[in-house]
Structures are given as C-alpha cells and as structure tokens.
Amino acid sequence: MNAFRHSLPASPAAETSVSEAARLGEERRRGRGAALNKSGRFEPVAREDFDDGWDSLDDLPPLKTEIQEERARTIITRNESPDISFDRSINPYRGCEHGCIYCFARPSHAYMGLSPGLDFETRLFAKPNAAQLLERELSRPGYTPRVIAIGTNTDPYQPMERSYKLMPEILEVLEACSHPVAIVTKSALVTRDIDILARMAKRNLVKVALSVTTLDRKLCRAMEPRASAPHKRLGAIKALSEAGIPTSVMMAPIIPALTDSEIEALLEAAAEHGAAEAGYVLLRLPREVSELFRDWLLRERPNRYQHVMNLIRSMRGGKDYDAKWGERMRGRGPYADQIGKRFSLAAKRLGLNLRRKKLNSDDFVQPQKGGVQLDLF
C-alpha cells in the first residue's frame, strides 16, 4: 500500500466531513491525542470503527492502555543522519502514552501492524531486557564509545516507566562503564533518577533536555494529553540543574501560528529555572502524522486551521512535509528564517548556548560480561 500523499481538500469544511466519519467517539478516546485509528499502511486491508445506525459504538468501553513485553535482540540503534548530533540511540519502549499529536515517531507503529493513530498511544511495547542487551553490546570487541541518545523516538520516562523502571537499569550499566548519555524527555519523572544522574554528571557523562513546547496548560493538555504539565517540566529543569546536572530546554516542535509566539517567553522561563542550553525543531508531519495533526487542528483549533497549514507549507516547499536533509528540522523560506533568528537572539540575550557541553567518552571501560547468554525466547 502506498504511503499517504500529503494533499489537502480545498477547505476545512470538506475535510471535516471525511474525518468525522472515521473519528472514535469522544468518550472512548478521552485523554488521548489522536481521534483516528486507521490501519497501518502495510496492512492488506483497512479497518476502522463504523456505526451501523444502531448506536452500537456508544456501548464500547473507553480505550485502555495495553502493554506487551518485547524480547528485543538488540538495543542500540545506529543512524547516519547529518541533521542530528548523535549516531546511536536507545529506545526502551515502542509507542508512547503521552499521546503528543505531532509526534514524528507515530508512523513507526505501522511496522508493528498497528495504527500510528490511537494504537500508537494505547498499544505499547516494553523491552524489559534492555539493560542486559546494552551491557552485551557495549562489551563487543571493537566497540567505540560515543554519546548514546535516549528519548529521540519515544519518551523513556512515559507513564509505564513508573512500573518498569528500565531507565535506572540502563543508567547503571552506562555509569559502571563510564559511557556518556544524552536524555530527552517531556516527563518530570526524570527527577526520580536524580541521584544516579548527579553522580554521572560529576564525571561529565550525562546531560538532560526537557522538551517544552508551550507554557499554555490548556493547549498542552489538548496537544500532549498525558505528558507532564509545562510547570512540572520547568520544575524538573530546576531540580536537575540544582543537582549539578547539565540541563537544556528543547522547544520541539515549534508550530507556526500556534506556539511560535511563545519563543521568547518560553526561553525566559527555562533560563530562570536553570537551563544552560536551548534548541528547537520545526513541526514535522511525515506520513500518517499529517492527517492526524490536521484532524486535531480541525477539532481543537478550527479557526487557526488555514493559517497554520499555509505557514507550514510555506516552509516545506508547498507540501505538508519535506524530508530533505538540512531542511527537515528547520524548514526554509522567510518565515522559517524569522523563527530561527528570533530563537537565536532570545537565547543569546538570556545567556543560553554560550558553551555547548561536550560529554566525556575517554574513560570508557568495557563491561566484562560480554559472553552472558541471553534468553532465546
């Protein structure tokens, strides 16, 4: 099946009639970001809920979060993207209960035979053997240490981390062998691990970035329904920085005509709470994310729909998204340039990014359990 084409009906009214037929009822999806749950693009048949006129959908229970344990075979993912500063990452979870409507990782759920819509935030996968796999992979002959990024795809501190506690196990492996790590999260739960993070920070092995997209609580709840509230994330920045942990803020994504007006205020709040660095990513709408985000706009901010989408396309070569290297993170054109200059000037005025923290990989010591036998099943 072909990937979604990023086309748009002539008017919001035309799309509303299409989307409403496929939307799950509000009561069933309460507390979720997406309203659609179309089949993944690799599936041979497309399925969606359909009301046959007997109001049978009203009798269905609310969607619950389902977690399946995955016995992964590897845990370090490699990449060669020139747009990002790391070449390896760890994702202890698939899917994300935070439900951020704009999440660029949503399309990856199609590889599991699931929908990038509501399935992505309700049908989740945990990798309980993550730390064991990490220790084995770090012990392989010829391994060269470089910063491992965690939280670049799905959030490592999403709600199920409260019970699985995979991050302390992973951090303990990295601490034991003096391996550097950079963490990105939208969750204040990261402060639970402040003790081990502080120890690693003393040896220049860790830095943490809190992703804060808006200071508007109402917008945050609609856009990122199960992520920590903005003031909680700012509180986490303060707690981490006061513990001596290098902390930064990521405004990711910046959404034109929706959150870009907050650039200066958000950076000011982050700096006041102890952030030393700041970065941003322009809204990205790859594959299924485009339809999900447009449907969300029609539901939550219909009066902004045309303005937001027109600005997005003005920065993406007339399309909803352009994955071109060098432009996918920042966009192009006058409006994209304006966002970049505003962000840079505000960061400079606030003393952010004066010196980029470079983590230490010189003290790496390979684990001695390279021959440990993992479960086959």
Side-chain angles (χ1 to χ4, degrees):
M1 184 179 294
N2 293 331
F4 279 98
R5 294 179 179 176
H6 299 304
S7 59
L8 189 69
S11 68
E15 185 163 339
T16 302
S17 61
V18 175
S19 296
E20 284 186 351
R23 287 175 186 159
L24 270 70
E26 187 173 349
E27 288 301 316
R28 287 200 68 204
R29 55 180 169 82
R30 184 176 297 278
R32 308 294 180 175
L36 307 177
N37 206 38
K38 294 185 177 181
S39 300
R41 61 187 180 280
F42 301 116
E43 301 311 294
V45 291
R47 297 182 178 88
E48 61 185 56
D49 288 342
F50 172 78
D51 194 329
D52 57 7
W54 292 91
D55 297 325
S56 55
L57 294 181
D58 295 338
D59 299 330
L60 294 174
L63 290 173
K64 293 183 178 180
T65 302
E66 301 176 10
I67 302 172
Q68 180 176 332
E69 294 188 354
E70 174 186 345
R71 305 304 295 185
R73 295 183 179 181
T74 61
I75 198 64
I76 299 177
T77 301
R78 308 282 178 155
N79 75 81
E80 298 179 354
S81 169
D83 287 331
I84 50 183
S85 59
F86 57 88
D87 68 354
R88 63 199 70 181
S89 60
I90 293 174
N91 292 292
Y93 302 107
R94 292 183 190 267
C96 187
E97 195 175 0
H98 283 165
C100 303
I101 190 60
Y102 51 72
C103 183
F104 68 87
R106 283 181 176 273
S108 64
H109 237 46
Y111 294 103
M112 307 301 291
L114 298 172
S115 172
L118 284 160
D119 281 348
F120 178 80
E121 47 193 291
T122 60
R123 300 181 67 179
L124 313 177
F125 298 82
K127 304 173 186 177
N129 61 337
Q132 189 179 10
L133 283 170
L134 176 60
E135 188 172 35
R136 185 182 69 171
E137 292 177 36
L138 295 180
S139 68
R140 286 175 176 163
Y143 177 83
T144 303
R146 292 191 183 90
V147 176
I148 287 179
I150 305 180
T152 57
N153 200 46
T154 57
D155 203 307
Y157 285 100
Q158 60 178 288
M160 63 177 162
E161 167 63 14
R162 293 185 182 277
S163 56
Y164 273 93
K165 297 184 172 71
L166 300 185
M167 281 301 291
E169 296 179 0
I170 291 171
L171 292 173
E172 286 171 3
V173 171
L174 295 172
E175 180 187 27
C177 60
S178 300
H179 196 294
V181 60
I183 300 169
V184 181
T185 181
K186 283 182 165 65
S187 176
L189 180 60
V190 65
T191 58
R192 180 202 62 190
D193 297 336
I194 210 164
D195 289 346
I196 187 171
L197 292 171
R199 292 198 305 268
M200 294 181 73
K202 288 180 180 179
R203 298 161 60 194
N204 197 23
L205 293 174
V206 68
K207 57 183 178 181
V208 179
L210 269 294
S211 176
V212 186
T213 50
T214 178
L215 299 176
D216 184 330
R217 289 194 187 189
K218 187 175 181 180
L219 176 59
C220 177
R221 176 59 63 87
M223 191 166 59
E224 308 158 339
R226 301 199 177 195
S228 295
H231 71 283
K232 292 286 188 180
R233 296 183 222 179
L234 291 173
I237 291 175
K238 183 176 182 180
L240 292 166
S241 61
E242 288 180 348
I245 301 160
T247 312
S248 61
V249 64
M250 282 293 297
M251 194 171 180
I254 290 179
I255 303 175
L258 200 61
T259 66
D260 59 344
S261 62
E262 298 186 61
I263 291 174
E264 291 78 8
L266 195 151
L267 290 182
E268 287 173 6
E272 288 173 1
H273 284 77
E277 298 180 11
Y280 80 92
V281 176
L282 184 68
L283 176 68
R284 298 165 58 189
L285 299 177
R287 296 188 180 275
E288 294 91 340
V289 184
S290 173
E291 182 181 24
L292 292 165
F293 179 78
R294 287 187 277 114
D295 178 73
W296 178 86
L297 265 181
L298 286 168
R299 289 185 286 116
E300 299 290 342
R301 297 292 189 275
N303 59 324
R304 298 283 187 94
Y305 183 90
Q306 290 285 28
H307 193 193
V308 171
M309 294 309 302
N310 286 340
L311 285 175
I312 288 173
R313 290 176 182 139
S314 76
M315 295 184 280
R316 300 295 190 188
K319 300 179 290 185
D320 286 6
Y321 182 58
D322 186 349
K324 185 178 180 181
W325 298 129
E327 294 183 0
R328 60 179 186 146
M329 300 291 191
R330 296 288 189 265
R332 65 177 183 270
Y335 203 87
D337 292 343
Q338 182 186 83
I339 286 176
K341 288 176 182 177
R342 284 176 56 202
F343 195 95
S344 178
L345 288 171
K348 183 178 181 180
R349 172 173 57 83
L350 295 166
L352 298 169
N353 299 333
L354 293 180
R355 185 170 55 185
R356 293 284 186 178
K357 187 71 172 179
K358 185 176 181 180
L359 299 180
N360 177 35
S361 59
D362 295 336
D363 299 330
F364 174 68
V365 179
Q366 283 193 301
Q368 299 302 308
K369 297 181 181 179
V372 66
Q373 178 68 43
L374 297 180
D375 293 337
L376 296 178
F377 304 100

